[in-house]
Amino acid sequence: MQDELYLQRCIELAQKALGRTYPNPLVGSVIVYKDEIIGEGYHHKAGEPHAEINAINSVIDKDLIPESTIYVSLEPCAHYGKTPPCALKIKELGFKKVVIGAMDSHDKVNGKGKKIIQDAGIEVISGILEKECIALNKRFFTYHEKKRPYIILKWAESADGFLDKDFKPVSISNSLVNQFVHQLRADEHAILVGTQTALNDNPSLTVRNVEGINPVRILIDFDLKVPIDFKIYNNEAKTLVFNSIKEEEKDHIHWIKIEKDNFIPTLMSALYKEQIQSVIIEGGSFTLQQFINAGLWDEAIVIKNENLKLDSGTKAPHLDSKPFKNQTVRDNTLSFYSSDNS
């Protein structure tokens, strides 16, 4: 029971860095001596020390380490990247015991970290709160196991199922829901729209109503119809433009050539290559429906304004699935879907 308690604390710590560690996973670590936490830490961002190192550095009396247990939500790394392997540091300090939440499916780790520690004669237990630790890194695991980003579909519709009024932008979600949407942007790695949404709405796709890092912007614009002075091209975030005309990198804008045929699988391969771990598909209706029809999504969030009728315009996508949760925020209803339940 104590192991679960300390692993839960690891998860809480790891979540503090949501949206800031890409392409690295979210990891938390706790060090316990005689049922007392003497150190804790989490991975703040890529290139900085990992959770285990931050936890070790926070221990005031290092002499207690050989008699302590280190808890970590994800298997300690076994390879040299921007930082040395955590498994070697744990071996060097000679912890009494290591408790791991989930094993790391990344081919550079995948059991190697655990083996280094075990071979050093240190007791290792893994699979504690495994389901919760895997859920914490659903983006990381999807990316490495399915070779594609974690896909979140998102749109706002009127009570009668339209995305706009007479094909012109209209405000559908309320201010509280807008704040939620901006938090979602801050949490995820990238955000994607098609040509028509970019032309109709001229969105900047940045984080404004909350604190956070702007997601990578992805524009699907085969014929490069979106003018270069539109907000999506401003210098506030890295922008990937998938098109059929040119391949070029200029400052924060990367034009990537892609064929229209077999478009979605090709796009997934390209985003995998770009190390994009999660994407919010924000529109338009045609783009969203393509992902739904291909069965290529992990979560969907549909915002409905119960008091707004628009009568005509762009029809909302059709998702033949039942929500696992509904949440009412003033006059808006948020419905949450999972592909696991579809």
Side-chain angles (χ1 to χ4, degrees):
M1 191 64 199
Q2 287 296 93
D3 285 349
E4 279 89 348
L5 191 71
Y6 296 129
L7 248 309
Q8 187 56 51
R9 177 60 184 159
C10 290
I11 292 169
E12 285 170 13
L13 288 165
Q15 283 170 331
K16 289 174 184 279
L18 184 57
R20 298 174 187 273
T21 64
Y22 298 117
N24 291 357
L26 296 162
V27 187
S29 180
V30 167
I31 297 169
V32 176
Y33 173 77
K34 290 187 176 175
D35 294 332
E36 186 182 332
I37 293 176
I38 59 167
E40 58 181 33
Y42 62 96
H43 182 45
H44 291 243
K45 62 187 264 192
E48 292 191 1
H50 289 184
E52 301 93 315
I53 306 304
N54 285 331
I56 288 162
N57 290 342
S58 76
V59 175
I60 295 165
D61 185 356
K62 300 286 193 288
D63 292 338
L64 300 178
I65 283 177
E67 288 302 313
S68 300
T69 299
I70 185 165
Y71 292 82
V72 61
S73 56
L74 188 69
E75 180 187 4
C77 63
H79 61 286
Y80 284 89
K82 289 180 181 173
T83 58
C86 294
L88 288 181
K89 191 68 180 174
I90 289 168
K91 172 186 171 180
E92 177 200 322
L93 294 175
F95 277 89
K96 185 180 178 184
K97 184 177 168 186
V98 179
V99 180
I100 299 166
M103 297 297 284
D104 188 343
S105 59
H106 189 305
D107 55 10
K108 286 183 179 175
V109 187
N110 205 4
K112 296 185 185 84
K114 182 179 179 181
K115 187 175 187 305
I116 287 170
I117 297 163
Q118 282 178 322
D119 287 352
I122 298 169
E123 183 189 352
V124 183
I125 297 172
S126 59
I128 307 295
L129 289 193
E130 185 178 36
K131 190 178 168 190
E132 291 85 347
C133 289
I134 288 171
L136 170 71
N137 278 306
K138 58 192 178 185
R139 303 159 186 85
F140 181 80
F141 284 114
T142 298
Y143 175 79
H144 286 291
E145 291 171 10
K146 297 186 178 179
K147 311 293 184 205
R148 65 162 176 83
Y150 188 86
I151 306 284
I152 300 170
L153 310 177
K154 194 231 95 185
W155 71 85
E157 62 180 62
S158 62
D160 52 352
F162 292 97
L163 301 183
D164 52 36
K165 173 73 172 168
D166 298 328
F167 308 102
K168 290 184 183 131
V170 64
S171 183
I172 293 175
S173 47
N174 62 43
S175 58
L176 277 177
V177 171
N178 280 340
Q179 199 167 352
F180 162 80
V181 167
H182 280 261
Q183 186 60 59
L184 183 70
R185 287 181 183 179
D187 292 346
E188 303 307 329
H189 199 174
I191 184 166
L192 181 152
V193 294
T195 307
Q196 213 50 53
T197 297
L199 288 172
N200 290 356
D201 300 354
N202 190 13
S204 59
L205 304 180
T206 52
V207 175
R208 293 185 299 282
N209 297 338
V210 296
E211 273 189 41
I213 297 167
N214 288 332
V216 174
R217 297 178 295 206
I218 299 166
L219 172 63
I220 310 298
D221 187 14
F222 284 109
D223 303 317
L224 294 180
K225 290 179 180 175
V226 179
I228 199 74
D229 61 350
F230 267 44
K231 291 177 189 171
I232 200 163
Y233 281 114
N234 68 28
N235 63 4
E236 292 180 40
K238 180 179 176 180
T239 306
L240 308 179
V241 186
F242 288 92
N243 69 96
S244 58
I245 297 167
K246 69 173 179 177
E247 186 93 30
E248 187 187 334
E249 284 191 22
K250 192 178 176 187
D251 301 324
H252 64 287
I253 303 168
H254 296 198
W255 286 272
I256 300 168
K257 212 166 175 181
I258 193 170
E259 297 301 320
K260 287 186 183 181
D261 295 338
N262 210 23
F263 152 62
I264 287 189
T266 310
L267 175 66
M268 290 300 101
S269 298
L271 292 179
Y272 177 75
K273 193 176 163 190
E274 291 286 332
Q275 291 192 298
I276 301 293
Q277 282 196 11
S278 70
V279 182
I280 308 164
I281 312 292
E282 231 187 54
S285 185
F286 176 74
T287 304
L288 283 157
Q289 198 65 55
Q290 278 187 300
F291 279 88
I292 293 167
N293 293 349
L296 197 63
W297 59 282
D298 298 288
E299 290 180 28
I301 301 164
V302 180
I303 301 153
K304 185 172 260 195
N305 188 326
E306 304 292 356
N307 297 334
L308 180 67
K309 288 203 172 175
L310 296 175
D311 300 320
S312 67
T314 307
K315 284 293 287 180
H318 175 67
L319 182 62
D320 191 18
S321 188
K322 285 191 168 65
F324 66 84
K325 184 173 86 169
N326 289 306
Q327 187 179 339
T328 303
V329 182
R330 294 184 186 152
D331 58 350
N332 288 185
T333 300
L334 276 70
S335 297
F336 297 86
Y337 301 80
S338 167
S339 60
D340 295 339
N341 299 350
S342 62

